Amino acid sequence: MLKNNAPQKALAFNIVLDGYAKREDFRSCERWISEMEAANVAPTVITQTVMISAYAKRRDVQSAEQLLERFAKKGVVWDVVGVSALIDVYAKIGHLEGAEHWFKRMKTMDITPNVVSFNALLAACAKARNLERSEYWFNELITSGLKPTDITYNTMIDVCSKVVRMDRAEHYANLMARDGLKYDVITF
């Protein structure tokens, strides 16, 4: 059934890969990627994103970067989802410089950051307790024409709280309300 249909083959491999990734069974993930390669099934953006997200759970930046480079050599075109997932890996480990590096690199790769990209970068700023960088990137988000989401505002409120700048936290809470977004359990 899947003999000559490359997209369906890739989809089938990605479904199994996603299952292993969700279980954080990285040995099986690597084995499955090797089986994809042996079957001459090219990795896709979905393959890349599944694996980067799995590495994010493990906070394994090095493996995520190696995977991106490996897949790029195989012709997988990097996209906003994959690079944003890598920025998220850096955010999870609190490595602001790495997150900013990949965010800036997106632009050199002709990838337009989206609100998810900005939110991942803001999360890295919050984890690093860097309000100055958070506000810089928040302003860049606004300047780019994107609209902040509840996640954006919650992250800004979080970093303000971490550095005990409640005046700034109140400012972002007011902006959140102004934009018609609802406070939720994450906000508090």
Side-chain angles (χ1 to χ4, degrees), residues 46 53 120 166:
I46 294 168
S53 296
M166 301 320 293

Side-chain angles (χ1 to χ4, degrees), residues 113-178:
N114 62 19
V115 73
V116 173
S117 312
F118 277 99
N119 286 344
L121 184 55
L122 291 171
C125 294
K127 182 90 172 183
R129 298 175 180 263
N130 192 323
L131 178 58
E132 182 181 327
R133 296 307 295 160
S134 294
E135 291 191 321
Y136 171 81
W137 289 114
F138 180 86
N139 290 328
E140 286 292 309
L141 180 149
I142 300 299
T143 301
S144 74
L146 295 171
K147 290 188 179 280
T149 65
D150 57 338
I151 294 169
T152 311
Y153 286 118
N154 285 335
T155 305
M156 293 304 296
I157 293 166
D158 179 51
V159 71
C160 293
S161 297
K162 284 178 177 175
V163 298
V164 196
R165 285 293 311 272
M166 301 320 293
D167 60 319
R168 300 305 296 155
E170 186 176 335
H171 168 73
Y172 290 106
N174 288 334
L175 290 177
M176 185 176 187
R178 178 204 70 195

Side-chain angles (χ1 to χ4, degrees), residues 94-108:
H95 194 292
L96 179 55
E97 294 81 16
E100 288 183 321
H101 165 78
W102 280 99
F103 189 89
K104 291 172 186 173
R105 189 164 171 197
M106 287 175 88
K107 293 182 179 184
T108 67

